[in-house]
Amino acid sequence: MRNFTSVHDVKDPVSLIREGISLKINPWGNVHLGKNKTLGLIFLNPSLRTRLSSQKAGQLLGMNTIVMNMDKEGWALEWTDGAIMNTNKTEHIKDAAMVLSLYCDIIGMRCFPTLTDREADYSEHVMKQLIKYSTVPVVSLESAILHPLQSLADGMSIFEKWNKSKKPKVVLTWAPHVKALPQAVSNSFSEWMQAIDVDFVITHPKGYELAPSFTKEVQIKYEQEEALKGADFVYVKNWSAYEPYGQMPPVEKDWLLSEKKMKVTNGAYIMHCLPVRRNVELPDELLDGKRNLTPLQAENRLYAATVVLKRILENTKS
Ligand code: CP
């Protein structure tokens, strides 16, 4: 694996999930791999989990890690080739990526979508420009439309909790929110669930259909209660509409999950990528309950980042 930007960069997602889980037995067991190597983490947007788990993952592999909040500390970047840079953009990604590649052996970048320009967001223009001009491997720390490190950690969490022979039923349910959020976590979760052996259902209000390229053959149900029946894992996430892009069409029914609604599930675990707005996206009664899987998901973010960096280091070993 050279770059890690989606499930499609991974030959065998199940093997990556299993290796990620296995790293927990001896977290410092690969500290020799990244000796004298530098991990550069570039954030164009805020983060808690991704930033700290990636930084610590680098440490577990013996790497030096350097972090830059590009949005606040760096020059404003121009991403378009051939641009006449006579506005507020100071540095072109072509030059910035060249410099980053001189200082770093692996570059991670977080770049959220515009939520106004669907074509640009769904072309992954920003992430692709970094990959184009970087001479070292690139890891997505969440792009405009995907969050593969989160989905890898989610897959690990499901595998750790599910040791039965039958496939688990995994439901991704839309949740309310106060502002328009990206579709990245949901797109990515859908891709990864289709790549592993689970019975996967998405439920959301009409008007919140995800991009067809990410849902393909997935069962979509507009009745939340119907979708939740017999679920083993319920992944809760808000996303804004794909059409009209980035908007929040009005929703009539109550989509906030509750203990009562969960009664039709198979005692399902509750999942969320965090950060979560309590009592808007998920109620305290579920977040403070025994079936809350978010601490395990957050823990697995560390081993997801570690296994991805480990594979890249092994692949680029000289
Ligand atoms: N889940 C997640 O990516 O968290 P952060 O935005 O805090 O990194």
Side-chain angles (χ1 to χ4, degrees), residues 46-51 110 112 142 147 150 273-275 301:
S47 167
L48 188 161
R49 280 142 291 273
T50 307
R51 177 180 174 135
R110 165 165 285 198
F112 282 177
E142 186 172 348
H147 197 354
Q150 181 64 53
C273 60
L274 304 180
R301 286 298 308 272

